[in-house]
Amino acid sequence: MKSLRISRRQSIAGLSVAGLAGLLIPHAYAQQKRETTGVGIGPKGAAIDDEDIFTFALNLEYMEAEFYLRATTGKGISDTDAGMDAARVVGGHEAQFKDKAIREFIEETAENELAHVRFYRKTLGRNAISRPAIDFDAGFKAAAQAAGLPADFDPFADDMSVLLGGMLFEDVGVTAYAGAAPLLKKKEFVQAAAGILAVEAYHMGMARSQLYMMGEKAWEAANAISDARDKIDGTPEKEDEGIRLDGKANFVPSNADAIAFHRTPQEVLHIVYLTEKAGVSKGGFYPNGMNGELRST
């Protein structure tokens, strides 16, 4: 367990999750909608639609599914699952797993992420976006540089590498779903998002525990990734925790009330575009940007 010492950053994060997010974030989204898409506030004062949020999530699920499928099979998702206007995916290859249990864990994760892609495509129907362009080569090269990892870091190399590569965006996925909770209106959408959040958290809990058991090299790399996310997400008052904190294991990144941290889509985009700048609509893992309304930091 982590120390019960409450930092200023943890206190702010806790307040945001407990209540301020529901009051402040919709207004921020309304401004974002007007400035970046030209679309105003909806009839009930909503800044964005549930479908916009699910579309944003689908962009992330495409990347996660592609990553884990390539690590376990050497191939990405099928043309049917990618959509009619699917863009190209660069990079990725089958990993050389040494631990059978970790291979099976990553295989299960790949199946889960593909199921998420199919769920969102089915739910959004004719409005489902196709897979955006994804560049693992450029994305992980820039991410490794930001985290101070070796320049030749290959997230598809072996057990530890795949877990570290997944950690870069799996933790982010958990915070993204937590941040979306106050914005969703349809009960069935809230229920689905809560269920997917739980699955993503299961994934990251397992990955963080496996990395921790791999020893000091894994601790340092995982914490470096966490520090890099913390730096570029655009909100220095937010917390991002590695797998070792205050000299102890830290499997569950959360605030002082043991509530998961949250991020807005804009903060998530800072990380996947690998930029600290506002108003950026592409870069990093998404060379042409995400598809849909929510695409600018």
Side-chain angles (χ1 to χ4, degrees), residues 195-278:
I196 294 176
L197 167 59
V199 171
E200 300 291 355
Y202 278 132
H203 291 167
M204 207 57 249
M206 176 65 76
R208 291 169 74 95
S209 64
Q210 290 294 325
L211 282 168
Y212 191 84
M213 290 187 287
M214 290 179 177
E216 189 169 354
K217 182 179 179 180
W219 302 347
E220 292 178 353
N223 280 23
I225 289 172
S226 173
D227 290 342
R229 286 192 309 234
D230 212 8
K231 180 181 178 182
I232 66 175
D233 69 4
T235 54
E237 74 276 9
K238 289 283 183 71
E239 190 71 76
D240 193 302
E241 296 178 349
I243 63 174
R244 190 167 174 81
L245 184 67
D246 295 332
K248 298 180 181 179
N250 185 51
F251 299 150
V252 185
S254 59
N255 70 8
D257 296 316
I259 297 174
F261 300 116
H262 77 279
R263 286 186 173 95
T264 67
Q266 285 70 42
E267 293 161 1
V268 171
L269 288 170
H270 276 290
I271 295 173
V272 297
Y273 289 170
L274 296 167
T275 180
E276 299 178 59
K277 297 179 181 179

Side-chain angles (χ1 to χ4, degrees), residues 8 40 103 109 111-112 152 158-159 185-186 188 197 216 224 226 242 244 247 255 257 263 282 286 289 293:
R8 174 178 175 272
R103 168 178 270 282
T109 302
E111 292 172 1
N112 292 161
D152 60 351
D158 52 28
D159 306 50
K185 303 167 194 67
K186 297 179 183 177
E188 63 271 25
L197 167 59
E216 189 169 354
S226 173
R244 190 167 174 81
N255 70 8
D257 296 316
R263 286 186 173 95
K282 63 181 180 180
Y286 295 90
E293 299 284 358

Side-chain angles (χ1 to χ4, degrees), residues 25-55:
I25 293 176
H27 174 75
Y29 271 72
Q31 187 67 21
Q32 171 75 9
K33 190 84 166 183
R34 287 193 298 269
E35 293 176 354
T36 64
T37 70
V39 179
I41 302 175
K44 295 183 179 181
I48 55 175
D49 297 328
D50 285 2
E51 288 75 11
D52 291 332
I53 298 173
F54 269 28
T55 295

Side-chain angles (χ1 to χ4, degrees), residues 2-296:
K2 59 176 71 64
S3 169
L4 293 179
R5 176 176 54 85
I6 303 175
S7 68
R8 174 178 175 272
R9 298 171 71 183
Q10 287 175 315
S11 298
I12 293 173
L15 286 171
S16 296
V17 173
L20 293 181
L23 295 174
L24 300 180
I25 293 176
H27 174 75
Y29 271 72
Q31 187 67 21
Q32 171 75 9
K33 190 84 166 183
R34 287 193 298 269
E35 293 176 354
T36 64
T37 70
V39 179
I41 302 175
K44 295 183 179 181
I48 55 175
D49 297 328
D50 285 2
E51 288 75 11
D52 291 332
I53 298 173
F54 269 28
T55 295
F56 182 81
L58 177 55
N59 280 280
L60 295 174
E61 296 292 354
Y62 275 131
M63 181 170 72
E64 293 181 358
E66 289 288 353
F67 176 79
Y68 291 114
L69 284 170
R70 287 164 190 268
T72 54
T73 70
K75 300 178 181 179
I77 63 180
S78 69
D79 292 342
T80 300
D81 290 317
M84 293 182 61
D85 299 317
R88 185 184 177 206
V89 178
V90 176
H93 58 83
E94 188 171 1
Q96 298 299 309
F97 291 101
K98 298 178 181 179
D99 188 310
K100 182 174 181 290
I102 291 180
R103 168 178 270 282
E104 291 179 354
F105 161 60
I106 299 300
E107 288 173 342
E108 182 179 9
T109 302
E111 292 172 1
N112 292 161
E113 303 300 3
L114 178 57
H116 290 166
V117 167
R118 290 170 174 168
F119 165 77
Y120 282 122
R121 288 186 57 80
K122 176 180 66 176
T123 301
L124 292 167
R126 66 179 64 184
N127 294 322
I129 51 119
S130 296
R131 181 189 63 208
I134 296 170
D135 192 336
F136 288 124
D137 286 347
F140 278 112
K141 182 178 181 180
Q145 182 178 5
L149 299 178
D152 60 351
F153 172 68
D154 177 8
F156 298 94
D158 52 28
D159 306 50
M160 183 189 298
S161 301
V162 173
L163 291 173
L164 288 170
M167 180 183 170
L168 181 68
F169 43 78
E170 281 280 4
D171 269 340
V172 176
V174 173
T175 60
Y177 278 106
L183 306 175
L184 291 168
K185 303 167 194 67
K186 297 179 183 177
K187 182 178 180 180
E188 63 271 25
F189 277 27
V190 174
Q191 183 178 28
I196 294 176
L197 167 59
V199 171
E200 300 291 355
Y202 278 132
H203 291 167
M204 207 57 249
M206 176 65 76
R208 291 169 74 95
S209 64
Q210 290 294 325
L211 282 168
Y212 191 84
M213 290 187 287
M214 290 179 177
E216 189 169 354
K217 182 179 179 180
W219 302 347
E220 292 178 353
N223 280 23
I225 289 172
S226 173
D227 290 342
R229 286 192 309 234
D230 212 8
K231 180 181 178 182
I232 66 175
D233 69 4
T235 54
E237 74 276 9
K238 289 283 183 71
E239 190 71 76
D240 193 302
E241 296 178 349
I243 63 174
R244 190 167 174 81
L245 184 67
D246 295 332
K248 298 180 181 179
N250 185 51
F251 299 150
V252 185
S254 59
N255 70 8
D257 296 316
I259 297 174
F261 300 116
H262 77 279
R263 286 186 173 95
T264 67
Q266 285 70 42
E267 293 161 1
V268 171
L269 288 170
H270 276 290
I271 295 173
V272 297
Y273 289 170
L274 296 167
T275 180
E276 299 178 59
K277 297 179 181 179
V280 176
S281 58
K282 63 181 180 180
F285 291 95
Y286 295 90
N288 300 328
M290 284 193 177
N291 291 331
E293 299 284 358
L294 297 170
R295 55 180 287 118
S296 180

